[in-house]
Amino acid sequence: MRLFLIVFLLTATFVSPTKAQAEPQTNVPSLANIIERYIAYEINGDPARAADEDDRAPDRWRDVSPETLATRAEEAKSLREALDRVPEGNAIDQAILAALLDFDIVSAKHDLARIPFTGDYGFHAEPVFAALQTRVQSIEDAEAWISRLNDVPRYFDEHITNMRRGIETGFTAHSDPLSVTIDQIKEQAGATADDSNLYVPLASLPDNIAGADASRLQSEGLLATKAAIAAYRDLLNFLESEYAPAARAAPGLASLEGGRLVYADLVAHHTAGAGLTPEEIHVVGLEEVARIRAEMDAIILEIEFEGHFSEFLAFLRNDARFYADTAEDLLEKSAEISKRLDAILPLYFSQLPRLPYGVSPVPASVAPGFTTGRYVPGNAEEGRPGTYLVNTYRLDQRPLYELPALSAHEAVPGHHLQIALSQELDAVPDFRRRYYATAFGEGWGLYAERLAGEAGIYRTPYERFGALSYEMWRACRLVADTGLHWYGWSRAEAETCFKENSALSPLNIETEVTRYIGWPGQATAYKIGEIRILGLRETAREVLGDAFDIRAFHDHLLGAGSMPLYSLDRRMEDWVQNQRSSPETTEETADTAS
């Protein structure tokens, strides 16, 4: 009953941005013109995007200087005002453009560049992950990567300037995500050039680069890597000596002047048009915690475990049978589960992506503060598969009973399926293929965990409990994230929900709460998006009855890529009505009624 009440609440409060009620104008821009201007705006601000447009490797990082940020903010406002004057056209294109521009405007409004890291990720990790994805296939590719390494000092210096502005204005990160970030930077700052992650793209060159060319490129690459490492050392010195003493004392944004306004805007962005306030999201979280806890208690009764809930959690956290012995073992189990998930896809989807994916460990240099798993999109044109990253750090904190749910979320039918299908869309602007609405994408990932359960992927009561624990994790996020940033909770208060209601390991809880402290609002998207998708499915099933086709539903839901939730709502409502009015559906419905 609680779930249906929550679905009703979300359905009733979903809103779309109101178009400006402007006076009639003689010079009304076209959507095509706005798209053209936005693409130019995007290319101008993203060197990687510009390089992709020119079919070359990127050779520098973004410009994040205050002057450039101010200029781009004005460009975003101008584009947004023009978009409001565009007559109704492609509703999804317009909704996505509005969301993209609105976030750029919000970022500038609150000067979010003052805190350019989350603990989970940040500008300092960009070169590491770029190195992981860079494939040198020509002299030009190698020279571009060398140029990019030589640009690291400039890029870091601009971020330091922005962080100094944060110190001056009292808008700084909390010490916990800062501490994790410092540890990650130490990994890079302490490396030698030839042993650095950053040198990996040049360490082994293809056969078409040999002799003097290879020697020159590797020599220049080592020098550029040394310059990048020196930039990491300078950054480390700044963070430890200058920034750390100014880090905010309380974990949530609520402690900062205007912090709750910042948080409300971030929640609106990440929940992608849900129209829910932080207070309403907090209530949804509490309702979901109660529902999921009842299902977990039922499994404990099924197992016939003798003891309280807390004792069952202690059993799960300490029994060796639930943990891999080696990193290789954990990766092999992840791969085996992923293959079983691959096998169920035709039962639920007619349209499958062409791009494959692989399973790899999280890079050791960022693993200690990194989440338990993550998906990194691939690129068919560049010959890169999608990657399901599994964190093999601290194996005693990576329980196997959670692994099937994690794999369903990050690989298939979760992120890889959804993102790869979006990348393969035809006849849409490029920004549509790359757009990622947090509530849509993460809501789909959480829905994929449930779908895996419906398909029988969870083979034991412990794996079913692990899946519920993962769902509880996302429900507690609603409670903890709003608690931290809206109600001013302490870290201990934010951790309570996870400790009392989930089987998450202590390290995972610690890492995750640090992530919520450093990345306000993002954690609220998962449950909000999943509940919305479930609500759409149940509505379609009720309306269409026996004519409901789960494969057709999924294909249509994913068929236009990621979008704000209010756009998804309209799209699926139209689909249900079209299915209902089709001759085949009408005939089947009549047969059922008779």
Coordinates of all heavy atoms in Angstrom, one line a residue, residues 165-197:
R165 N 38.5 31.1 -4.0 CA 37.4 32.0 -3.9 C 36.4 31.4 -2.9 O 35.6 32.1 -2.2 CB 36.7 32.1 -5.3 CG 35.7 33.2 -5.4 CD 35.3 33.5 -6.8 NE 34.7 32.4 -7.5 CZ 35.3 31.6 -8.4 NH1 36.6 31.9 -8.7 NH2 34.7 30.6 -9.0
G166 N 36.3 30.1 -2.8 CA 35.5 29.4 -1.9 C 35.9 29.7 -0.4 O 35.1 29.9 0.4
I167 N 37.2 29.7 -0.2 CA 37.7 30.0 1.1 C 37.3 31.4 1.5 O 36.9 31.7 2.6 CB 39.3 29.8 1.1 CG1 39.6 28.3 0.9 CG2 39.8 30.3 2.4 CD1 41.1 28.1 0.8
E168 N 37.5 32.3 0.6 CA 37.2 33.7 0.8 C 35.7 34.0 1.1 O 35.4 34.9 1.9 CB 37.6 34.6 -0.4 CG 39.1 34.6 -0.6 CD 39.5 35.2 -2.0 OE1 38.5 35.6 -2.7 OE2 40.7 35.2 -2.3
T169 N 34.8 33.2 0.5 CA 33.4 33.4 0.7 C 32.8 32.4 1.6 O 31.5 32.5 1.8 CB 32.7 33.2 -0.7 OG1 33.0 32.0 -1.3 CG2 33.2 34.3 -1.7
G170 N 33.6 31.5 2.3 CA 33.0 30.6 3.2 C 32.2 29.5 2.6 O 31.4 28.9 3.3
F171 N 32.5 29.1 1.3 CA 31.8 28.0 0.7 C 32.8 27.0 0.3 O 33.4 27.0 -0.8 CB 31.1 28.6 -0.6 CG 30.1 27.6 -1.2 CD1 28.8 27.6 -0.8 CD2 30.5 26.7 -2.2 CE1 27.9 26.7 -1.3 CE2 29.6 25.9 -2.8 CZ 28.2 25.8 -2.3
T172 N 33.0 26.1 1.3 CA 34.1 25.1 1.1 C 33.5 23.7 1.4 O 32.4 23.5 1.9 CB 35.3 25.3 2.1 OG1 34.7 25.3 3.4 CG2 35.9 26.6 1.8
A173 N 34.3 22.7 1.0 CA 33.9 21.3 1.2 C 34.1 20.9 2.7 O 34.8 21.6 3.4 CB 34.8 20.4 0.3
H174 N 33.4 19.8 3.1 CA 33.6 19.3 4.4 C 34.9 18.5 4.4 O 35.4 18.0 3.4 CB 32.4 18.4 4.8 CG 32.5 17.8 6.1 ND1 32.7 16.5 6.3 CD2 32.3 18.4 7.3 CE1 32.7 16.2 7.6 NE2 32.5 17.4 8.3
S175 N 35.4 18.3 5.6 CA 36.7 17.6 5.8 C 36.7 16.2 5.3 O 37.8 15.6 4.9 CB 37.2 17.7 7.2 OG 36.2 17.2 8.1
D176 N 35.6 15.5 5.4 CA 35.5 14.0 5.0 C 35.8 13.8 3.5 O 36.7 13.0 3.2 CB 34.2 13.4 5.5 CG 34.2 13.2 7.0 OD1 35.3 13.4 7.7 OD2 33.1 12.9 7.6
P177 N 35.0 14.4 2.6 CA 35.3 14.2 1.2 C 36.6 14.8 0.8 O 37.3 14.3 -0.1 CB 34.1 14.9 0.5 CG 33.5 15.8 1.5 CD 33.7 15.1 2.8
L178 N 37.1 15.9 1.6 CA 38.4 16.5 1.3 C 39.5 15.5 1.6 O 40.4 15.3 0.9 CB 38.6 17.7 2.1 CG 40.0 18.4 2.1 CD1 40.3 18.8 0.7 CD2 40.0 19.5 3.1
S179 N 39.3 14.8 2.8 CA 40.3 13.8 3.2 C 40.5 12.7 2.1 O 41.6 12.2 1.8 CB 39.9 13.2 4.5 OG 40.8 12.2 4.9
V180 N 39.3 12.2 1.6 CA 39.3 11.1 0.6 C 40.0 11.7 -0.7 O 40.9 11.0 -1.3 CB 37.9 10.7 0.3 CG1 37.9 9.7 -0.9 CG2 37.3 10.0 1.5
T181 N 39.7 12.9 -1.1 CA 40.3 13.5 -2.2 C 41.8 13.6 -2.1 O 42.6 13.3 -3.0 CB 39.7 14.9 -2.5 OG1 38.3 14.7 -2.8 CG2 40.3 15.6 -3.7
I182 N 42.3 14.0 -0.9 CA 43.7 14.2 -0.6 C 44.4 12.8 -0.8 O 45.5 12.7 -1.4 CB 43.9 14.8 0.8 CG1 43.6 16.3 0.7 CG2 45.4 14.6 1.2 CD1 43.7 17.0 2.1
D183 N 43.8 11.8 -0.2 CA 44.4 10.4 -0.4 C 44.5 10.0 -1.8 O 45.5 9.4 -2.2 CB 43.5 9.4 0.4 CG 43.7 9.5 1.9 OD1 44.7 10.2 2.4 OD2 42.8 9.0 2.6
Q184 N 43.5 10.3 -2.6 CA 43.6 10.0 -4.1 C 44.7 10.8 -4.8 O 45.4 10.2 -5.6 CB 42.2 10.3 -4.7 CG 41.1 9.4 -4.3 CD 39.7 9.9 -4.7 OE1 39.6 11.0 -5.3 NE2 38.7 9.0 -4.6
I185 N 44.8 12.0 -4.4 CA 45.9 12.9 -5.0 C 47.3 12.4 -4.6 O 48.2 12.4 -5.4 CB 45.6 14.3 -4.7 CG1 44.4 14.8 -5.3 CG2 46.8 15.2 -5.0 CD1 43.9 16.2 -4.9
K186 N 47.4 11.9 -3.4 CA 48.7 11.4 -2.9 C 49.2 10.2 -3.8 O 50.4 10.1 -4.0 CB 48.6 11.0 -1.5 CG 48.6 12.1 -0.5 CD 48.5 11.6 1.0 CE 48.5 12.7 2.0 NZ 48.4 12.2 3.4
E187 N 48.2 9.4 -4.3 CA 48.6 8.3 -5.1 C 49.3 8.8 -6.4 O 50.2 8.2 -6.9 CB 47.3 7.5 -5.5 CG 46.7 6.7 -4.3 CD 47.6 5.5 -4.0 OE1 48.3 5.0 -4.9 OE2 47.5 5.0 -2.8
Q188 N 48.8 9.8 -7.0 CA 49.4 10.4 -8.2 C 50.6 11.2 -7.9 O 51.6 11.1 -8.6 CB 48.3 11.3 -8.9 CG 47.0 10.6 -9.2 CD 47.2 9.3 -10.0 OE1 48.1 9.2 -10.9 NE2 46.4 8.3 -9.7
A189 N 50.6 12.0 -6.8 CA 51.7 12.8 -6.5 C 53.0 12.0 -6.1 O 54.1 12.4 -6.3 CB 51.4 13.8 -5.3
G190 N 52.8 10.8 -5.6 CA 53.9 10.0 -5.1 C 54.4 9.0 -6.2 O 55.4 8.3 -5.9
A191 N 53.8 9.0 -7.4 CA 54.3 8.1 -8.4 C 55.5 8.6 -9.2 O 55.7 9.8 -9.2 CB 53.1 7.8 -9.4
T192 N 56.3 7.7 -9.7 CA 57.3 8.1 -10.7 C 56.7 8.2 -12.0 O 55.7 7.5 -12.3 CB 58.5 7.1 -10.6 OG1 58.0 5.8 -11.0 CG2 59.1 7.1 -9.3
A193 N 57.3 8.9 -12.9 CA 56.7 9.1 -14.3 C 56.5 7.8 -15.0 O 55.4 7.6 -15.6 CB 57.6 10.0 -15.1
D194 N 57.5 6.9 -15.0 CA 57.3 5.7 -15.8 C 56.4 4.7 -15.1 O 56.0 3.7 -15.8 CB 58.7 5.0 -16.1 CG 59.5 4.7 -14.8 OD1 59.0 5.1 -13.7 OD2 60.5 4.1 -14.9
D195 N 56.0 4.9 -13.9 CA 55.1 4.0 -13.2 C 53.7 4.7 -12.9 O 52.9 4.1 -12.2 CB 55.7 3.6 -11.8 CG 55.0 2.4 -11.2 OD1 54.6 1.5 -12.0 OD2 54.8 2.4 -10.0
S196 N 53.5 5.8 -13.5 CA 52.3 6.6 -13.3 C 51.2 6.1 -14.2 O 51.4 5.7 -15.4 CB 52.5 8.1 -13.6 OG 51.3 8.8 -13.6
N197 N 49.9 6.1 -13.7 CA 48.8 5.8 -14.5 C 48.7 6.7 -15.8 O 48.2 6.3 -16.8 CB 47.5 6.0 -13.7 CG 47.4 5.2 -12.5 OD1 47.4 5.7 -11.4 ND2 47.2 3.9 -12.7

